[in-house]
Amino acid sequence: MKLERSDRGPLYAFLGPAIVLMLVFFVIPVIYVFVVSLLKWNGISAPVFRNIRNYTLLFKDTAFKRSVINNVIWALVAGFIQVPLAMVMAIILSRKPKGWKFFRTVYFFPQVISGIALAMLWRAIYNAETGLLNGILRSIGLGSVACDWLGGIKTAFPAVLIYWVFYVGYYMVIMMADITTIDTSYYEAATIDGATDFQQAIYITIPLIKKTSLLTCVTLASVMGLRQFEQVYMLTNGGPANTTSTMVLYMYKKLQDANYGIASASAVVLIIVGVLFIVCIRKLFEGQSEETAMIKKARRAVK
Amino acid sequence: MSETRLRPKLRGKELILAILRWILIIFFAVYTLFPLIWLVVSSLKTNFEFLAGSPFALPAKPQWVNYTNALTVAGLGRMLFNSVFVGLSATVVNIIVASMGAYCISRFRFKGREKIFTLFTAGILVPLNALMVPYFVIITKLGLINTYGGMILLYTAIGIPMSTFLIRGLMDSIPMELEEAAYIDGCGFYARFFHIILPLSRTGIVTAATFEFLTCWNEFVFANLLVSSEKLRTIQVGIRYFTNQFSTDYVSMYAAIVISIVPSIVGYILFQEQIIAGMTSGAVKG
């Protein structure tokens, strides 16, 4: 629609509130963390310029280093274990087996339950005396394996890390939406040629979703892995001995101590690691698809 | 094609694959459902039954008293009210602001439109948790720390990119001719918005509103950060204190967790299509 002179006023009035909110809650805060990360500031007294000392302090702190490592592991597990599982389920359910709608609904449940309620549920499951996990282990005669999952130095991080890996509903639904847009004639032709369902998945479905929804899901899952907070906060609060800490939890604790400079510096590290992940994943997927193209060419040549 | 496809008996590899497929389907379903069922069943036991019995055992007699305990001990009523109040207010304001913005971006060509659009889309990708410090400072500076207003303002703002994105998508699909005809008939800017565009983008608005409300309902990080008063706690923040409040009264605590989860599940089942559309369309385009 062409903008009439008389529309100009109402247009600004309509667009104004959204733009103000975007500036105040997105643009300024991002600039803000970068600036404050260079200051020593407790929110009350005058801030002191510190150059990059916050960052050197940050990387001397073993708790922070551990948090970064945990987040990276978390992001890798999310992107390269959780998403492939989701992909397998998306391929299976998009063939519409009996009851697929019911299963799709069920798999999506954890996505609508709040992270904090899920964490409470898993706290109850992992509880050393009353938990479901130890209860099951005892009832099948594996009582000796039962332990305080969230309290042990060796078990805490795996316990916090593992439970949501099998909650694949979100990524599955995204990939299912993509798979349904694939032209069915590909599959029909493949069936005539005698390709099994498994072969069709490997040679048709996966290559076709690789650069679209699969890439999106791997990126999303990794970025989510870097933002973890509720789960660790609720399950272990970073303990024992910081073995389960994450960057956001670390930032939260520094903010509670009114150490705004260090908290902002860790936010900046989080943003940078996030961008690095997104760039690397994109590179990886581009490289890989060229490789499969070459393999295909080679196959054709052999035939 | 599918009618002519013969269904041969599954043999060898095919059979193994079929079995494997069902094992996976059932495994994931059990993994999701069983802990939830265990939670509900445990919440209906007595503490003695829960502590002494097997996790698979059913309660001799459902203890509904645990639920009345949960409601009184944790003060769940107040928390549920806070969550609904904050969530609804933020959703209403968010949808008003976002649909006005989406209307401008979708229907008019003006200078800086592309830049504004990029800004909104980029907003979806910003890791909000990393902005804890500035959000805390901004809300404090505005004098809104520890108020409903602070939470409502922040929830309204952080949902703007997503809501604008969802509503704009629908508005884009409304034919221009409709609006142009109305313009020739003398309809002004506001009349066209309220009488033509808004009613026609209903589905987009419902999706965005559902998504925004669910986000507010489940939000924990900022609710926890911005509010310290017990009276203003939302349900998600309240859950955090259950372990102290109930200490060894496990079954009542489980009842309280169940009460906090039920609205999400019921809402999801009622608005399944909208929620899935909202959660996936943002992801696919982003």
Side-chain angles (χ1 to χ4, degrees):
Chain A
M1 185 110 195
K2 245 176 65 196
L3 189 62
E4 295 294 322
R5 183 165 293 224
S6 59
D7 286 346
R8 205 161 284 268
L11 184 84
Y12 292 140
F14 261 44
L15 205 49
I19 298 219
V20 169
L21 286 179
M22 286 304 292
L23 287 178
V24 174
F25 287 93
F26 288 89
V27 180
I28 296 173
V30 171
I31 301 169
Y32 186 97
V33 286
F34 276 89
V35 174
V36 176
S37 75
L38 304 174
L39 307 175
K40 182 184 167 71
W41 188 35
N42 61 12
I44 300 160
S45 56
V48 181
F49 181 69
R50 248 189 164 177
N51 211 341
I52 59 159
R53 256 203 75 212
N54 284 332
Y55 292 94
T56 50
L57 281 176
L58 211 50
F59 281 100
K60 269 187 201 144
D61 189 346
T62 48
F64 184 73
K65 275 189 280 190
R66 184 71 208 222
S67 306
V68 177
I69 294 168
N70 283 348
N71 271 132
V72 170
I73 296 174
W74 205 308
L76 291 175
V77 169
F80 298 96
I81 297 179
Q82 190 186 20
V83 173
L85 283 176
M87 185 185 75
V88 170
M89 294 319 288
I91 291 171
I92 292 175
L93 283 202
S94 59
R95 301 229 111 189
K96 309 216 158 87
K98 239 184 214 147
W100 67 277
K101 275 196 172 164
F102 166 78
F103 291 112
R104 192 185 65 168
T105 306
V106 168
Y107 297 163
F108 207 75
F109 274 172
Q111 202 55 43
V112 293
I113 300 172
S114 71
I116 208 83
L118 267 187
M120 276 303 271
L121 171 61
W122 279 89
R123 218 175 128 121
I125 292 171
Y126 283 134
N127 189 299
E129 285 99 41
T130 63
L132 176 62
L133 181 56
N134 284 349
I136 292 176
L137 288 172
R138 284 190 198 107
S139 64
I140 57 171
L142 286 171
S144 55
V145 188
C147 67
D148 181 6
W149 298 99
L150 294 172
I153 292 240
K154 280 199 183 129
T155 53
F157 187 61
V160 172
L161 187 65
I162 217 98
Y163 77 84
W164 52 269
V165 168
F166 300 102
Y167 287 153
V168 294
Y170 182 41
Y171 306 114
M172 185 192 80
V173 166
I174 294 175
M175 285 187 269
M176 272 177 80
D178 196 15
I179 291 173
T180 51
T181 64
I182 296 175
D183 192 339
T184 49
S185 62
Y186 289 128
Y187 295 107
E188 282 159 11
T191 317
I192 292 170
D193 289 349
T196 62
D197 287 359
F198 184 71
Q199 286 168 325
Q200 292 180 20
I202 299 282
Y203 296 111
I204 302 174
T205 315
I206 297 177
L208 284 174
I209 63 168
K210 183 178 259 162
K211 278 197 172 175
T212 53
S213 59
L214 186 59
L215 171 63
T216 310
C217 287
V218 172
T219 312
L220 264 180
S222 315
V223 174
M224 300 279 190
L226 296 176
R227 294 179 198 173
Q228 283 311 319
F229 175 71
E230 283 116 311
Q231 279 87 336
V232 280
Y233 180 65
M234 205 55 231
L235 285 168
T236 60
N237 197 19
N242 290 319
T243 46
T244 58
S245 183
T246 66
M247 284 191 266
V248 178
L249 183 68
Y250 183 89
M251 184 199 318
Y252 177 77
K253 287 180 174 172
K254 290 294 167 191
L255 177 60
Q256 298 296 68
D257 298 343
N259 202 334
Y260 289 27
I262 298 262
S264 298
S266 45
V268 171
V269 174
L270 171 64
I271 293 173
I272 291 172
V273 174
V275 172
L276 280 179
F277 254 89
I278 293 174
V279 171
C280 289
I281 289 168
R282 236 158 239 275
K283 281 255 146 47
L284 183 75
F285 272 71
E286 276 162 16
Q288 240 183 18
S289 50
E290 272 166 24
E291 218 172 77
T292 45
M294 273 167 61
I295 293 171
K296 270 189 196 158
K297 257 187 207 158
R299 280 229 178 82
R300 241 173 268 148
V302 171
K303 268 184 193 168
Chain B
M1 163 65 213
S2 54
E3 310 96 74
T4 58
R5 186 178 166 186
L6 296 170
R7 276 231 160 247
K9 268 190 186 164
L10 297 175
R11 288 214 192 86
K13 261 191 200 162
E14 292 262 325
L15 182 67
I16 294 170
L17 271 178
I19 293 171
L20 205 65
R21 185 155 56 209
W22 279 102
I23 289 177
L24 279 173
I25 291 176
I26 289 163
F27 165 76
F28 280 97
V30 170
Y31 186 83
T32 309
L33 285 180
F34 185 66
L36 290 171
I37 294 168
W38 171 75
L39 186 75
V40 173
V41 171
S42 300
S43 76
L44 292 171
K45 291 180 177 176
T46 63
N47 270 305
F48 178 76
E49 277 175 319
F50 172 68
L51 291 171
S54 140
F56 303 105
L58 290 171
K61 194 174 146 250
Q63 302 292 320
W64 298 107
V65 64
N66 295 338
Y67 281 81
T68 45
N69 274 350
L71 283 167
T72 49
V73 173
L76 274 177
R78 176 88 203 189
M79 291 176 202
L80 289 169
F81 168 80
N82 289 341
S83 281
V84 171
F85 177 73
V86 170
L88 279 184
S89 313
T91 304
V92 169
V93 183
N94 172 279
I95 293 303
I96 293 172
V97 173
S99 50
M100 294 190 325
Y103 176 56
C104 300
I105 297 175
S106 166
R107 313 304 283 189
F108 296 97
R109 306 277 164 274
F110 55 91
K111 235 174 122 190
R113 178 175 165 275
E114 291 302 315
K115 276 188 194 127
I116 291 171
F117 180 56
T118 315
L119 171 70
F120 279 76
T121 328
I124 298 179
L125 293 173
V126 171
L128 294 175
N129 282 352
L131 304 178
M132 240 185 240
V133 179
Y135 286 166
F136 183 73
V137 173
I138 289 169
I139 297 293
T140 312
K141 285 267 151 72
L142 290 172
L144 290 174
I145 204 83
N146 213 6
T147 62
Y148 284 131
M151 276 190 281
I152 294 169
L153 177 63
L154 185 65
Y155 289 171
T156 301
I158 59 182
I160 290 285
M162 195 62 197
S163 302
T164 313
F165 177 83
L166 290 171
I167 298 172
R168 190 200 66 105
L170 221 108
M171 285 183 176
D172 279 352
S173 68
I174 301 170
M176 267 308 177
E177 291 78 20
L178 259 179
E179 222 188 322
E180 271 157 10
Y183 175 71
I184 290 164
D185 288 349
C187 262
F189 184 94
Y190 298 111
R192 293 199 302 271
F193 177 66
F194 287 110
H195 297 304
I196 298 170
I197 302 300
L198 217 47
L200 286 174
S201 27
R202 227 175 12 241
T203 42
I205 290 174
V206 172
T207 302
T210 312
F211 188 73
E212 169 74 7
F213 184 77
L214 187 74
T215 313
C216 296
W217 180 271
N218 283 341
E219 208 286 328
F220 168 75
V221 179
F222 300 122
N224 185 41
L225 188 73
L226 300 178
V227 160
S228 50
S229 155
E230 203 173 319
K231 278 194 205 142
L232 300 180
R233 269 177 206 157
T234 60
I235 182 91
Q236 305 307 337
V237 180
I239 294 177
R240 201 191 130 197
Y241 297 95
F242 287 175
T243 28
N244 304 334
Q245 284 167 330
F246 293 100
S247 88
T248 56
D249 185 3
Y250 294 102
V251 289
S252 301
M253 180 169 81
Y254 295 166
I257 300 174
V258 171
I259 295 173
S260 80
I261 292 178
V262 163
S264 308
I265 301 268
V266 171
Y268 164 59
I269 290 170
L270 289 178
F271 292 97
Q272 187 171 165
E273 293 309 316
Q274 280 83 5
I275 290 171
I276 289 187
M279 284 187 152
T280 54
S281 67
V284 171
K285 305 268 170 61

